[in-house]
Amino acid sequence: MSWITDVAPKIKTLFKRDAPDNLWIKCPDSGQVVFQKDVEANRWVIPGSGHHMRLSAIQRLTLTFDEGQWTDVPVPDGESDPLKFRDTKRYTDRLKEARTKTGLADAIKVGTGTVEGLPMTVAAHDPDFIGGSLGVAAGEAFIQGAETAIERATPFVAFTASGGARMQEGILSLMQMARTTVLIQRLRERKLPYIVVLTNPTTGGVTASYAMLGDVHMAEPGALIGFAGPRVIEQTIREHLPDGFQRAEFLKEHGMVDMVVHRHDLRSTLARLCSLLMRLPANGIGTTSDAPADDGSHHHEADRPAPSIEQSNPL
């Protein structure tokens, strides 16, 4: 055996540096390369370009609740593969991969806690769980979140990030559009605010149901929001779409979105809106810092009882 094949690989291994692969992030808009820790400290917004990076459901809940502390809401388990679906691989295998990747049971995570001192129930899509798609289990999670808000008399906030209904569950996934709508009506009957924060992307059956049924529709800058994608629309109508079509700012201009809110201002805006809609006194709202938790050590407290409020003056 020659020296090159025997000794050289050992020398290379000896001087190998253990450097993580995710030290740097490239901005999808500007191409700017930014240190990952700087982006994280900026609430996952690229400094300079202002591009809002996609967040996992856990990250979303952590950034929303005071001091990153929240109580997990257990959700019912949906049937794993009701249609025994298979395309290039089995649906059960796709679910296992998504659960391993995200650490979640399905595409929606629900938590309770306080936002600027105001008790709130929040549901968040995870775009990494099969595109944040809506299936039976995700529908059950949304319904459980709404029911928790009703039980605790808190506002209900939904952060949407989804490609739409999950094709592997067929008509059962489409049924979730109607089921979630029923719960939104129950929230309205109880005079509880239902706020939707549209993030990138929000499309398909989610847009066609609970994402567009909020009392107030907020959106993050640059978020893609629509039913069919721009490419499909262009091919269908055979016309060039205007610049910024289906983006948050375009939809605000045309009345489909009420406000476009930077991620740094989301918590304070949510607290102010909910306190106004519930006719709560202004004092005590906005007393906590909007900065993210300094360490990423942990994000929720399973044993802490969730705070509640008395709705003494309903709308």
Side-chain angles (χ1 to χ4, degrees), residues 46-99:
I46 302 289
S49 72
H51 177 83
H52 285 51
M53 302 292 291
R54 295 183 188 182
L55 298 178
S56 69
I58 297 290
Q59 288 173 321
R60 181 68 68 180
L61 294 173
T62 302
L63 290 179
T64 300
F65 287 113
D66 293 339
E67 299 177 358
Q69 302 294 324
W70 49 280
T71 302
D72 185 37
V73 174
V75 298
D77 293 328
E79 190 176 349
S80 293
D81 187 8
L83 303 181
K84 303 295 183 281
F85 192 94
R86 183 185 184 113
D87 46 81
T88 55
K89 64 173 67 173
R90 292 187 304 171
Y91 179 42
T92 51
D93 293 337
R94 291 190 186 278
L95 286 172
K96 286 176 186 175
E97 289 173 7
R99 286 167 181 161

Side-chain angles (χ1 to χ4, degrees), residues 4-160:
I4 294 177
T5 57
D6 185 37
V7 180
K10 295 178 182 178
I11 296 174
K12 185 177 180 180
T13 304
L14 182 65
F15 291 99
K16 183 179 179 181
R17 293 182 180 180
D18 293 327
D21 297 329
N22 59 346
L23 280 176
W24 303 92
I25 294 176
K26 185 176 181 179
C27 175
D29 288 343
S30 64
Q32 174 189 8
V33 178
V34 189
F35 190 43
Q36 189 247 3
K37 289 291 184 183
D38 291 340
V39 180
E40 183 178 357
N42 200 39
R43 305 180 75 83
W44 297 100
V45 178
I46 302 289
S49 72
H51 177 83
H52 285 51
M53 302 292 291
R54 295 183 188 182
L55 298 178
S56 69
I58 297 290
Q59 288 173 321
R60 181 68 68 180
L61 294 173
T62 302
L63 290 179
T64 300
F65 287 113
D66 293 339
E67 299 177 358
Q69 302 294 324
W70 49 280
T71 302
D72 185 37
V73 174
V75 298
D77 293 328
E79 190 176 349
S80 293
D81 187 8
L83 303 181
K84 303 295 183 281
F85 192 94
R86 183 185 184 113
D87 46 81
T88 55
K89 64 173 67 173
R90 292 187 304 171
Y91 179 42
T92 51
D93 293 337
R94 291 190 186 278
L95 286 172
K96 286 176 186 175
E97 289 173 7
R99 286 167 181 161
T100 302
K101 180 180 180 180
T102 64
L104 302 180
D106 213 272
I108 294 181
K109 186 76 171 170
V110 182
T112 61
T114 59
V115 179
E116 299 283 340
L118 178 67
M120 206 170 288
T121 304
V122 178
H125 276 259
D126 195 310
D128 288 332
F129 196 105
I130 314 184
S133 52
L134 176 64
V136 174
E140 290 287 354
F142 183 93
I143 289 167
Q144 185 62 50
E147 288 178 341
T148 301
I150 291 169
E151 289 169 7
R152 296 170 180 252
T154 69
F156 185 44
V157 177
F159 286 90
T160 60

Side-chain angles (χ1 to χ4, degrees), residues 209-266:
S209 56
Y210 55 85
M212 285 299 161
L213 293 175
D215 299 314
V216 179
H217 295 107
M218 302 162 59
E220 288 192 329
L224 175 68
I225 304 160
F227 183 70
R231 179 177 53 82
V232 173
I233 295 173
E234 276 193 329
Q235 291 175 351
T236 302
I237 66 174
R238 300 182 184 279
E239 289 186 19
H240 180 69
L241 299 173
D243 292 337
F245 182 76
Q246 289 189 324
R247 294 292 172 177
E249 294 77 9
F250 183 91
L251 297 182
K252 180 179 179 294
E253 256 182 65
H254 292 79
M256 194 172 175
V257 168
D258 296 308
M259 57 180 75
V260 177
V261 183
H262 194 283
R263 190 172 291 165
H264 291 178
D265 302 320
L266 269 176

